[in-house]
Amino acid sequence: MDGSGRMRAAFLTEIHRYELGEKEPSALGSEDLRVRIHSSAICGTDLAIWAGKQPGLRLPIVGGHEATGVVEEVGSKVVKFRPGDRVVLSPTEFCGKCHYCRRGLEHLCERGGLRGREVSGTYSDYVVVHENLAYGFPDTIDFDAGTNFIALYTVIYGQRKLPHLTGKSVVVLGQGVTGLLHTQLARHSGAGPVIAVARSPWKLDLAKGLGATDTICAREKNPVEEVLRLTDGRGADIVIESAGAPESIRQSFEMARPAGTILQFGIGPKTVDDIPVQEFYFKDLTVVGSRAGMPEDFEMAIKLVAAGHIDLRPTITDHFPLGEIQKGFEYVEKGEGKTLRAVID
């Protein structure tokens, strides 16, 4: 904050336009933390918000929702943190009182919101959050990599909804940030083979280095045929669709074995034509949805990374200062080069 008590923040003022401005810092409640933001990532949802692909968006708004930082000030009743602690922030806020919150399903809160979409976000110098919406992490994990805790906790929640993975054949369709995390987590959980599918050879190289036993380049080979070949013609026990693309969503039904399970993790379009509905019956398939995650998934994410079981660093590929956030979004949208995750510093 400057001498006037104001702080810098990046406002999404119109579709495809971020502008750096100033705002008054939020008041600090008795159970709140004031966190100085160190790193805030640009993820696929941030990009969709910037491009106007999220309904009901009210502008202007401070964007961003995947952030790490340092606790600078604590409220009088805070018990979990003290100034100087390193934290990753929950991407959502919830009311604690609605039908879903009372049942422990805060991620489905009827009155909650995602930072940077319904709630002011993390592309700013400081953010004030309730202490229950922050999670401490050790200094062996850098701030940039720590922004991936948000992606990892959603991946953990999704895989918790699947059958036990030990000894199961698993296909991960799409090897973006979450796809690579799904690949790592499935391998750590004892799955095998773990088959990574992507269109970019360099992403498949990353997947191989992070635990994939087999890789399929969808530009060069038919993924369904290759999965059937690698599973003795039966299909995979579990298919994790992480790309959100109509083609890969359809393929997931074709490459899952009878009595197999599909985790629809990628955020796809509202509708997808030619979904083979009869496969539900003839294959006796289970299809699982997944949205966000639970507090225990955050805690597990931090434990897995701290223990060296999951590596978050390879997905951080680009950096931009807060003052160049517009340039950062334009760069990520173009998708040139080997970009996975850009971080706003």
Side-chain angles (χ1 to χ4, degrees):
M1 288 179 282
D2 61 24
S4 67
R6 298 173 69 83
M7 65 177 186
R8 297 180 308 156
F11 294 85
L12 184 63
T13 56
E14 58 184 280
I15 301 307
H16 283 125
R17 185 64 189 172
Y18 263 109
E19 295 183 9
L20 193 65
E22 293 184 342
K23 64 174 292 191
E24 295 287 344
S26 300
L28 188 72
S30 62
E31 297 178 342
D32 291 342
L33 313 174
R34 190 180 310 280
V35 177
R36 176 170 53 84
I37 299 299
H38 186 287
S39 303
S40 188
I42 300 175
C43 84
T45 299
D46 295 313
L47 199 64
I49 292 169
W50 181 73
K53 297 178 182 179
Q54 296 278 311
L57 185 64
R58 296 182 179 180
L59 302 179
I61 190 169
V62 177
H65 70 278
E66 299 190 353
T68 56
V70 176
V71 176
E72 188 151 295
E73 186 180 359
V74 300
S76 60
K77 295 182 180 179
V78 169
V79 296
K80 297 180 181 179
F81 299 98
R82 60 184 180 182
D85 285 346
R86 299 154 57 91
V87 293
V88 57
L89 305 183
S90 169
T92 59
E93 291 191 356
F94 53 87
C95 71
K97 300 177 182 179
C98 72
H99 173 86
Y100 295 104
C101 285
R102 293 198 308 270
R103 287 155 178 79
L105 300 171
E106 293 92 345
H107 64 305
L108 300 178
C109 177
E110 295 174 322
R111 294 186 287 273
L114 180 73
R115 301 189 194 283
R117 189 176 63 197
E118 291 86 22
V119 181
S120 185
T122 56
Y123 295 148
S124 59
D125 288 329
Y126 295 88
V127 170
V128 170
V129 300
H130 191 279
E131 66 172 331
N132 288 340
L133 298 178
Y135 301 85
F137 66 94
D139 58 12
T140 54
I141 304 164
D142 64 59
F143 288 105
D144 293 343
T147 62
N148 268 325
F149 280 128
I150 290 89
L152 180 56
Y153 104 107
T154 66
V155 165
I156 291 170
Y157 175 66
Q159 290 200 19
R160 276 206 296 121
K161 302 176 79 174
L162 296 172
H164 291 295
L165 298 187
T166 302
K168 301 288 180 60
S169 56
V170 174
V171 176
V172 182
L173 291 164
Q175 294 296 308
V177 173
T178 57
L180 289 166
L181 292 173
H182 271 296
T183 296
Q184 287 192 74
L185 185 59
R187 194 71 178 125
H188 172 69
S189 300
V194 175
I195 305 167
V197 181
R199 295 177 62 81
S200 300
W202 67 271
K203 290 182 179 179
L204 293 173
D205 289 341
L206 270 177
K208 192 76 171 178
L210 294 172
T213 58
D214 300 273
T215 60
I216 301 170
C217 181
R219 290 182 187 272
E220 300 173 358
K221 297 181 180 180
N222 183 305
V224 175
E225 292 177 358
E226 285 298 297
V227 167
L228 291 174
R229 182 182 66 81
L230 291 167
T231 56
D232 298 322
R234 287 188 296 271
D237 297 314
I238 294 167
V239 179
I240 300 173
E241 200 292 318
S242 188
E247 182 180 17
S248 58
I249 292 172
R250 288 189 290 265
Q251 289 172 342
S252 66
F253 287 86
E254 299 177 64
M255 60 178 59
R257 69 160 171 81
T261 301
I262 297 170
L263 172 61
Q264 182 51 52
F265 187 89
I267 304 174
K270 287 184 178 180
T271 60
V272 177
D273 294 333
D274 299 325
I275 289 292
V277 177
Q278 287 191 347
E279 297 287 85
F280 284 100
Y281 176 81
F282 286 109
K283 278 191 171 182
D284 191 14
L285 292 175
T286 298
V287 180
V288 178
S290 180
R291 174 184 172 187
M294 305 288 195
E296 58 262 39
D297 301 309
F298 248 120
E299 294 163 3
M300 180 56 69
I302 293 167
K303 288 179 181 177
L304 286 171
V305 176
H309 298 309
I310 301 292
D311 190 355
L312 301 178
R313 293 169 297 178
T315 60
I316 305 298
T317 54
D318 300 278
H319 296 262
F320 296 89
L322 183 62
E324 295 182 9
I325 188 170
Q326 176 68 18
K327 178 181 176 181
F329 269 80
E330 290 172 352
Y331 178 83
V332 173
E333 186 184 49
K334 289 178 182 177
E336 298 176 353
K338 295 182 178 180
T339 297
L340 279 172
R341 170 155 300 207
V343 172
I344 303 300
D345 299 314

